[in-house]
Amino acid sequence: MQDKPVVLILAAGLGTRMKSETAKVLHEVAGRPLIVWAVETARAAGAERVIAILGHQSETVREVLDARYGAGEVEIALQPEQKGTGHAVQCALPALGDEPDDRIVAILSGDAPLLASERVAALVAACRDSQAGLALLSTHPPRPVHYGRLVRNDAGVLQRIVEHKDASSEERAIQEMNAGFYAVRLGHLRADVAGLSDDNAQGELYLTDMAAHAAQRGGAAVIDAPFEEVSGINDRVDLAAVTTVARRRINEDWMRAGVTMAQPEQTFIDADAGPLGRDVWLGPGVHLRGKTSLGDGAHVDAGCVLTDVEVASGAYIKPYSVLSEAVIGSAAEIGPFTHCRPGTQVDEGAKLGNFVETKKTHLMAGAKANHLAYLGDASIGAKANIGAGTITCNYDGFQKHKTVIEAGAFIGSDSQLVAPVTVGRGAYVASGTTITRDVPRSALALARVKQINKEGWADRFRDAQGKRNVKRED
Ligand code: UD1
Ligand code: MG
């Protein structure tokens, strides 16, 4: 007997109520597509194989899965036409051709991302112990929903599941509902879905008809789960509600792991972000997106948006900074109002201040660019100082070119560095200079128009204006 389940994910539905160009299972909760939530749950529950049943936009969904897990790691079964959940499973059975009848198959809804993997493991265990070879999750929704109702006999044995659209008014009064998650022995699954009929209100093949078959074998095992955990997403209101729950859980997990949040309800951490170290501090309005990670004691202040950023311990990201695909070293200081674009690397103790934009730039230890600069395709040596208003002119309209500023160099304010160009170790660039040639080590480079002072010019100018009714000021 096999212990590890094969997991089928039902994900072919059209998701009409999303009113979207995007397949429902590609809509995201906390930065992760719904289908990925289901695959993660399956894997965490020890799935030996994961098979996603796809229909709508299957190629796009396949690409997302292949990019994340490696080509073919998540298997795909196609359901070209959506004729119901039972039909979806029929379409997946050929992929299970070589599996033994006693194999346990867990079937998950692809649109309910909050299901805990422990719940899947519990379903699998209940299926193993059940004489009928079927276990399913029930739930008691706190508000009216159009779920299938669990019909039990007087002895409490589950007799069948009746879909809302097929239910009588008495059946609709039943509060115990089908959550849409199952574990079933493959032998029974094969037999049960082979004989499904579409003689029902929706003209579909209902997977839920398995319950009636199991009643003849002694009745399915039923595990009750909180509605919040199993509720599926049908429209964007559901998407927002589930996202709120997912984010709260993510935040609570990180707070328990030692992260302080000034205002958890205003802190947005993607499911794939982390690790976040101990004593990390997050201000209100912080977004940690993608695979962003933060070292111990890192401080990310209000309104910062970090996407795929690696921040080392003790770094301080000041308010309203936007960083993407960047690596920030320990005790570095960024912001306020800094924009680090992809390929930015800031080493230990280096600083980027307000209105500094960087792209593909490496700022080595202790280097500083504190105000108003654009640094693109640049290498900036240790302890170099970049004055306010410095611009690397990295683009000639066709190609990008590199600027190298060596260790300890001092770039005066309002300088332009026309790349490709190198400023040597310890060299000075005078303020307002346009550098077009390499600067040797320890040199001073000065390239600006010589200053002329015209004595008394300003007074003469004002007098001339005075003839046009502008008063002279002393
Ligand atoms: C289903 C259950 C219902 C349960 C509810 C819980 C059936 C017949 N009914 O109803 O008892 O209370 O879930 O949410 O199963 N799908 C396919 N192919 C299809 C149809 C659906 O892959 O042809 C997928 C959908 O993408 C979705 C899942 O199956 O992920 C559930 O389908 P949905 O149409 O939402 O089922 P419900 O009518 O809500
Ligand atoms: Mg539904």
Side-chain angles (χ1 to χ4, degrees):
M1 193 177 80
Q2 294 280 353
D3 270 12
K4 293 183 164 185
V6 169
V7 176
L8 303 183
I9 299 173
L10 299 174
L14 291 168
T16 319
R17 282 168 285 175
M18 294 299 285
K19 304 214 165 80
S20 176
E21 295 299 313
T22 304
K24 179 162 84 172
V25 288
L26 290 182
H27 281 264
E28 292 184 357
V29 165
R32 227 188 225 173
L34 295 180
I35 185 79
V36 170
W37 282 89
V39 174
E40 291 293 315
T41 303
R43 292 187 147 207
E48 185 159 300
R49 297 172 63 187
V50 181
I51 303 171
I53 304 165
L54 304 179
H56 198 56
Q57 292 184 12
S58 58
E59 270 315 303
T60 319
V61 180
R62 185 201 297 267
E63 280 165 23
V64 168
L65 293 172
D66 283 353
R68 186 175 175 114
Y69 297 104
E73 280 298 307
V74 174
E75 299 170 59
I76 308 291
L78 285 179
Q79 186 195 18
E81 265 184 286
Q82 284 73 55
K83 298 185 200 161
T85 47
H87 178 247
V89 171
Q90 283 180 354
C91 293
L93 283 180
L96 302 179
D98 294 337
E99 299 284 349
D101 272 351
D102 68 351
R103 170 72 94 174
I104 292 177
V105 180
I107 304 173
L108 312 182
S109 240
D111 61 0
L114 298 176
L115 184 78
S117 59
E118 294 79 12
R119 202 73 68 179
V120 179
L123 268 182
V124 170
C127 172
R128 184 170 300 131
D129 296 343
S130 113
Q131 201 189 330
L134 173 66
L136 56 90
L137 287 188
S138 67
T139 190
H140 290 76
R143 56 183 166 86
V145 292
H146 291 184
Y147 281 22
R149 307 304 205 271
L150 267 58
V151 180
R152 293 178 184 260
N153 67 10
D154 292 342
V157 178
L158 181 65
Q159 296 300 293
R160 61 196 171 90
I161 295 172
V162 59
E163 289 304 297
H164 179 86
K165 284 189 178 150
D166 299 284
S168 65
S169 54
E170 277 160 22
E171 288 165 340
R172 284 186 183 180
I174 296 172
Q175 297 300 307
E176 190 187 22
M177 307 210 191
N178 173 32
F181 299 92
Y182 319 84
V184 56
R185 289 240 186 249
L186 182 54
H188 295 310
L189 185 67
R190 285 182 172 128
D192 291 352
V193 302
L196 291 177
S197 138
D198 64 0
D199 183 14
N200 53 52
Q202 301 185 76
E204 289 185 353
L205 300 181
Y206 290 163
L207 183 60
T208 43
D209 287 353
M210 285 193 298
H213 293 273
Q216 285 154 24
R217 307 191 295 264
V222 178
I223 300 174
D224 197 58
F227 182 69
E228 190 182 81
E229 184 183 327
V230 297
S231 63
I233 290 169
N234 288 316
D235 60 21
R236 309 221 190 202
V237 176
D238 295 338
L239 184 70
V242 167
T243 298
T244 301
V245 176
R247 292 212 178 277
R248 194 185 68 223
R249 286 187 183 178
I250 291 168
N251 287 0
E252 286 175 1
D253 285 349
W254 286 123
M255 286 189 279
R256 287 195 187 93
V259 172
T260 296
M261 295 179 197
Q263 205 182 2
E265 319 78 67
Q266 288 298 318
T267 305
F268 305 88
I269 304 175
D270 277 0
D272 292 326
L276 310 183
R278 291 164 82 104
D279 295 315
V280 158
W281 191 94
L282 303 177
V286 164
H287 292 248
L288 303 180
R289 296 183 179 159
K291 291 202 165 77
T292 294
S293 65
L294 305 176
D296 290 349
H299 189 111
V300 184
D301 216 322
C304 289
V305 180
L306 276 58
T307 307
D308 295 319
V309 178
E310 193 183 318
V311 178
S313 60
Y316 188 0
I317 319 290
K318 297 175 190 174
Y320 303 105
S321 296
V322 176
L323 289 73
S324 305
E325 295 170 45
V327 178
I328 308 299
S330 62
E333 288 182 35
I334 308 291
F337 301 102
T338 301
H339 186 189
C340 295
R341 293 167 49 206
T344 297
Q345 183 181 340
V346 178
D347 289 351
E348 188 175 352
K351 290 185 185 176
L352 292 174
N354 42 202
F355 308 111
V356 173
E357 175 183 346
T358 58
K359 188 220 68 175
K360 278 197 189 154
T361 284
H362 184 182
L363 203 77
M364 294 175 209
K368 290 179 196 167
N370 277 336
H371 334 266
L372 297 162
Y374 172 63
L375 304 171
D377 301 290
S379 159
I380 297 166
K383 296 200 172 159
N385 188 88
I386 310 295
T390 297
I391 291 174
T392 55
C393 310
N394 58 330
Y395 186 48
D396 59 14
F398 297 94
Q399 284 173 333
K400 302 282 169 69
H401 302 282
K402 186 151 188 192
T403 300
V404 177
I405 297 167
E406 291 182 353
F410 182 99
I411 311 297
S413 296
D414 197 26
S415 297
Q416 299 95 53
L417 303 151
V418 182
V421 75
T422 297
V423 176
R425 210 176 163 82
Y428 264 68
V429 169
S431 298
T433 289
T434 300
I435 293 288
T436 51
R437 286 187 291 131
D438 289 354
V439 181
R441 175 183 181 138
S442 297
L444 167 68
L446 180 65
R448 63 188 182 213
V449 177
K450 206 165 185 180
Q451 185 169 332
I452 305 165
N453 290 340
K454 297 190 175 180
E455 291 294 335
W457 180 93
D459 284 348
R460 291 194 297 279
F461 178 71
R462 287 204 188 86
D463 286 344
Q465 303 304 314
K467 287 173 193 158
R468 296 180 201 142
N469 292 333
V470 176
K471 272 194 179 169
R472 176 173 168 178
E473 285 170 37
D474 289 311

